[in-house]
Amino acid sequence: MSKPRDENADNQAGSNRPKLALHVPEPRYRPGDTVDFSDLQISKAGDQPRPDETAEASETYPLCNDLIRVLGDDDKAHGPWDPRLDADTLRAMLREMALVRAFDNRMYRAQRQGKTSFYMKCTGEEATSVCATHALAGDDMIFPSYRQQGCLIARGYALTEMINQIYSNKADKLKGRQLPIMYCSKRLSFFSISGNLATQLPQATGFAMASASKGDSRIAATWVGEGSTAEGDFHSAMTFATVYNAPVIFNIINNQWAISSFSGFAGAERATFAARAIGYGIAGLRVDGNDPLAVFAAERWAADRARANGGPTLIEHFTYRAEGHSTSDDPSAYRSAEEQNEWPLGDPVNRLKKHLIALGEWSEDQQEAMDAELDAEVRKAMKEAEKNGILGHGLHHPFHTMFEDVFEELPWHLEEQAAQAIRERQIKFPEDPAE
Amino acid sequence: MTTDTAAKTPEAGKATGNVKHMNMIEAINSALDNMLERDDDVILLGEDIGYFGGVFRCTAGLQEKYGKTRVFDTPISECGIIGVAVGMGAYGLRPVPEIQFADYIYPGLDQLVSEAARLRYRSAAEFIAPMTVRSPFGGGIFGGQTHSQSPESIFTHVSGLKTVIPSTPYDAKGLLISCIEDNDPVIFFEPKRIYNGPFDGFYDKPAKSWKGFDEAQVPEDYYKIPLGKARTVTEGDALTILAYGTMVHVVESVTRAKGVNAEILDLRTLVPLDIEAIEASVEKTGRCLIVHEATRTSGFGAELSAMVQERCFYHLEAPIERVTGFDTPYPHSLEWAYFPGPVRIGEAIDKLLSE
């Protein structure tokens, strides 16, 4: 064994090396700081080349370090990634993004009013779910995280059903078992949301492998935040996807923040998230996540590639989480309040609105009327859902349902426990013999 | 796509076709072969299970017979293996992932506990995880710390998982077929010490093969043994012994050598448990010994002991005894000092019968 180290010595004997230093990332702006994003590298819209969908994965490397953008400062579409969508599709996407925002705003207030325990908004990220979903086929399987309410809304899920779930009321299809916003709809090919981060990534890969093994045409698309790419499941999903050339799309929503940790804690200081794809032999694209046309175009490219047995694609959607992580979070405790307004890629809803106006297909008056109409639609759905109850006001599923679906059939030990729960209920509420 | 293979099954129960002598490996292989043949949605995946046929030969010949898209090798990633199996189940397949040793199941634990076990519940049965995770487990083979563990109590503690452990070739095939057809996720632990022959606990005597044992007469055709049903190994009235896996054989040899009239129950399924069989036996004998290889503290024996105490208290004539592995990692050189063998079991029986 070597001699004990002198911890006070500036240098170790025989070496002029500096002491080792641990690097702990620090975000650029903390509460109270003045924000300046002017040095952020923002590519010019339309400048990015569009390789063929059959290109080798390695050919996409330049796009992993660039930013695919279609909508320019002039509100017009530019370059080879312009998906050339018709005005009706553009208006549909605008309407759905605006509906997501109206829904988020009302649900946030519902949580503050005590109608439910919890909510998570996706403000500023609406394009990454709504426009990506438009680029998929209706039966392609979506494996979402908790901030993809836009996928459900783009597939036409009834707002009342979403609110029933948020209120955990007697009409909640998930029977009040799940935390609010952990939606599930097999009919709309929207997989059950889990609280455990990144678990959906290998699952999406497995679904895609299954579809391929059956010679089907369905592909899988999954969404995850940039923070969750640090999970081991990200690595296993990428490995399986590349090994089996699985028809799967990985959407990484880089909104800069994982609760209070900035993206540096997921490795963003050294490499883009898109660039990780290349090491696995997977195609990678990095897009302006606030540019609805770029998001659509990248997702469609990846979907076409997957469907043609070209294999998986990772898309990094570069965006900004404009609001708190959840209703339990106060972002003013860890980041500058100026960030949201200074974010150089703007707001996705506003950008698509201005594009449609520039095309002569929309107007501020129409937008105003639509926003009012959407707000009324959300409020109507809320009233409808409230008839079925709000959280903690008695209108829930019968006690016995708590024990159902643990297994396909109720084993004896759960029957015994169900009987106990119902007995306890009768002691607590002797005047109410229901259930 | 089929989510209910049971519906395709004309009848469950014993097969009538050829009966062949099989060791447990061959019986497992036969079960997988039957299910691959019967149900196009059954798919096998795991490390070294494809071309090579598995490190224990359980999948030998199956890739050649059914093709690479039905039986295939995977990257060395347990969380990946279980995770993709959940996704395959969501599509409508019936995956049978293999984890090479139970000691290596832990990287897949999040996918098993948080996902596979909870999927039916959290989606109100819109999505299910009809998978059977096969994994060799247990000691007695000089496997040291990471080739000998018995982690069943980690899984019995998880609501939504079933845990099944066979102790004979006949049971291994019939139970495995039931597991694969079951629409719930099942952990199927294969006691590797008895893959090739029953182990009586006397490690210093020559190893036996399954040759000549009735339990190794296995029908080549499809048959099922229902989950949740224990097997009465021997009938008796002096005491009840609850065991599973390798320990069934060790217990049987000890009681035979001691001339004890024990009623031995091979539990076969830990969740859901055959509580009726356990209650009936303990009420008859008044004494209960629980034996497992796994470590003692919070092992499945603690659950069994608590249930017998709660349900059979007024029939008990002596405190319930537990014979288990010690609360240490599984040692290499001191394996036979660790293993709950004939001496430890014999002492416990003497104690129970003397009270």
Side-chain angles (χ1 to χ4, degrees), chain B residues 12-86:
Chain B
K14 290 201 176 188
T16 50
N18 284 340
V19 172
K20 235 179 100 178
H21 176 274
M22 295 187 200
N23 63 27
M24 194 182 280
I25 291 164
E26 291 161 336
I28 287 164
N29 185 277
S30 174
L32 296 171
D33 190 1
N34 285 170
M35 288 311 298
L36 283 161
E37 175 83 47
R38 289 173 71 88
D39 185 348
D40 288 343
D41 292 333
V42 171
I43 190 165
L44 272 50
L45 65 159
E47 297 158 17
D48 304 298
I49 71 143
Y51 182 86
F52 179 58
V55 296
F56 290 105
R57 317 307 304 148
C58 287
T59 55
L62 298 177
Q63 185 181 74
E64 194 181 11
K65 191 167 173 187
Y66 296 100
K68 288 203 293 184
T69 59
R70 302 282 309 280
V71 181
F72 55 85
D73 294 314
T74 63
I76 302 171
S77 168
E78 288 76 14
C79 68
I81 292 168
I82 307 292
V84 300
V86 174

Side-chain angles (χ1 to χ4, degrees), chain A residues 66-370:
Chain A
D66 203 328
L67 202 58
I68 296 169
R69 304 182 74 221
V70 173
L71 281 180
D73 294 339
D74 57 359
D75 301 325
K76 290 189 176 136
H78 300 272
W81 286 93
D82 176 7
R84 301 175 182 280
L85 297 172
D86 60 67
D88 283 343
T89 304
L90 294 175
R91 278 189 292 261
M93 294 199 309
L94 177 66
R95 181 186 177 86
E96 287 156 22
M97 285 200 289
L99 179 55
V100 171
R101 185 161 296 179
F103 186 76
D104 276 359
N105 288 335
R106 286 285 166 191
M107 287 300 106
Y108 183 89
R109 283 158 67 172
Q111 191 277 338
R112 289 297 189 251
Q113 290 163 355
K115 291 176 181 173
T116 188
S117 61
F118 184 74
Y119 193 72
M120 295 175 109
K121 299 168 102 172
C122 69
T123 311
E125 304 171 32
E126 292 89 347
T128 62
S129 54
V130 169
C131 303
T133 303
H134 269 266
L136 300 171
D139 64 349
D140 287 339
M141 192 71 187
I142 286 173
F143 286 82
S145 84
Y146 48 71
R147 226 183 284 280
Q148 276 74 53
Q149 53 267 54
C151 297
L152 262 186
I153 285 180
R155 285 194 169 168
Y157 199 53
L159 298 184
T160 313
E161 295 292 1
M162 293 174 80
I163 304 169
N164 286 336
Q165 197 281 326
I166 290 166
Y167 288 170
S168 275
N169 61 25
K170 70 182 170 73
D172 172 12
K173 290 230 164 93
L174 304 182
K175 303 186 180 176
R177 293 172 184 158
Q178 276 270 55
L179 194 69
I181 74 159
M182 302 287 186
Y183 312 107
C184 170
S185 173
K186 189 171 189 179
R187 184 176 60 84
L188 295 178
S189 296
F190 185 94
F191 189 69
S192 159
I193 298 171
S194 169
N196 293 64
L197 299 177
T199 51
Q200 72 274 22
L201 301 184
Q203 292 165 1
T205 306
F207 184 97
M209 288 167 65
S211 183
S213 80
K214 286 287 189 184
D216 199 347
S217 63
R218 294 171 81 188
I219 64 169
T222 183
W223 278 253
V224 73
E226 91 287 348
S228 302
T229 63
E231 293 282 4
D233 275 343
F234 173 77
H235 171 67
S236 72
M238 298 297 277
T239 303
F240 275 69
T242 192
V243 165
Y244 302 103
N245 203 43
V248 57
I249 306 170
F250 300 104
N251 291 290
I252 313 298
I253 308 303
N254 177 7
N255 66 13
Q256 316 300 322
W257 291 92
I259 309 186
S260 75
S261 312
F262 86 114
S263 58
F265 283 98
E269 288 180 335
R270 310 292 168 112
T272 69
F273 293 96
R276 276 145 232 233
I278 302 303
Y280 291 98
I282 290 175
L285 305 174
R286 188 164 176 265
V287 303
D288 174 352
N290 291 13
D291 178 342
L293 298 184
V295 168
F296 178 96
E299 197 78 13
R300 177 56 64 81
W301 186 94
D304 287 345
R305 180 180 178 84
R307 237 181 283 281
N309 275 316
T313 301
L314 184 157
I315 303 174
E316 174 185 349
H317 301 262
F318 193 69
T319 182
Y320 185 80
R321 194 193 79 208
E323 302 250 0
H325 166 70
S326 73
T327 47
S328 307
D329 179 46
D330 173 12
S332 72
Y334 51 79
R335 71 182 188 188
S336 172
E338 289 183 12
E339 280 193 14
Q340 179 190 350
N341 297 329
E342 295 298 319
W343 185 247
L345 296 173
D347 175 84
V349 181
N350 196 37
R351 282 174 71 184
L352 186 55
K353 177 190 85 175
K354 282 160 65 181
H355 175 56
L356 270 162
I357 291 172
L359 289 176
E361 295 285 354
W362 197 243
S363 69
E364 290 287 358
D365 287 348
Q366 281 172 296
Q367 181 75 26
E368 212 172 296
M370 184 181 78

Side-chain angles (χ1 to χ4, degrees), chain A residues 19-42:
Chain A
K19 281 185 184 175
L20 292 172
L22 180 70
H23 172 67
V24 179
E26 183 63 27
R28 293 170 72 187
Y29 307 110
R30 286 298 194 185
D33 289 349
T34 302
V35 169
D36 180 7
F37 284 128
S38 60
D39 60 337
L40 207 67
Q41 296 274 330
I42 302 295

Side-chain angles (χ1 to χ4, degrees), chain B residues 15-245:
Chain B
T16 50
N18 284 340
V19 172
K20 235 179 100 178
H21 176 274
M22 295 187 200
N23 63 27
M24 194 182 280
I25 291 164
E26 291 161 336
I28 287 164
N29 185 277
S30 174
L32 296 171
D33 190 1
N34 285 170
M35 288 311 298
L36 283 161
E37 175 83 47
R38 289 173 71 88
D39 185 348
D40 288 343
D41 292 333
V42 171
I43 190 165
L44 272 50
L45 65 159
E47 297 158 17
D48 304 298
I49 71 143
Y51 182 86
F52 179 58
V55 296
F56 290 105
R57 317 307 304 148
C58 287
T59 55
L62 298 177
Q63 185 181 74
E64 194 181 11
K65 191 167 173 187
Y66 296 100
K68 288 203 293 184
T69 59
R70 302 282 309 280
V71 181
F72 55 85
D73 294 314
T74 63
I76 302 171
S77 168
E78 288 76 14
C79 68
I81 292 168
I82 307 292
V84 300
V86 174
M88 288 171 167
Y91 179 85
L93 299 190
R94 198 169 281 280
V96 186
E98 177 185 300
I99 301 296
Q100 203 162 76
F101 288 87
D103 315 64
Y104 302 131
I105 206 166
Y106 308 123
L109 215 54
D110 187 33
Q111 286 287 348
L112 278 170
V113 175
S114 312
E115 302 296 318
R118 307 285 153 78
L119 185 55
R120 175 190 292 277
Y121 191 74
R122 76 172 197 234
S123 72
E126 285 207 343
F127 293 98
I128 60 172
M131 63 160 80
T132 300
V133 182
R134 290 182 41 245
S135 190
F137 97 129
I141 56 147
F142 276 111
Q145 269 186 48
T146 55
H147 298 80
S148 308
Q149 293 170 34
S150 299
E152 66 272 17
S153 69
I154 291 175
F155 300 97
T156 58
H157 190 58
V158 177
S159 51
L161 289 182
K162 291 177 176 170
T163 303
V164 177
I165 301 171
S167 72
T168 70
Y170 182 84
D171 277 10
K173 177 168 176 178
L175 287 168
L176 180 53
I177 287 176
S178 288
C179 292
I180 294 172
E181 291 196 341
D182 198 283
N183 285 326
D184 295 317
V186 189
I187 310 295
F188 187 80
F189 279 136
E190 301 165 4
K192 58 188 171 296
R193 183 63 181 82
I194 56 172
Y195 265 156
N196 290 301
F199 175 59
D200 60 12
F202 293 92
Y203 59 92
D204 42 358
K205 291 185 186 157
K208 285 192 212 109
S209 82
W210 279 108
K211 221 173 175 74
F213 285 87
D214 286 349
E215 300 92 326
Q217 293 301 313
V218 182
E220 286 186 295
D221 290 347
Y222 167 97
Y223 66 95
K224 279 164 69 158
I225 293 173
L227 304 185
K229 292 283 172 223
R231 172 175 72 101
T232 304
V233 181
T234 61
E235 288 190 28
D237 52 23
L239 80 161
T240 298
I241 305 183
L242 307 179
Y244 47 89

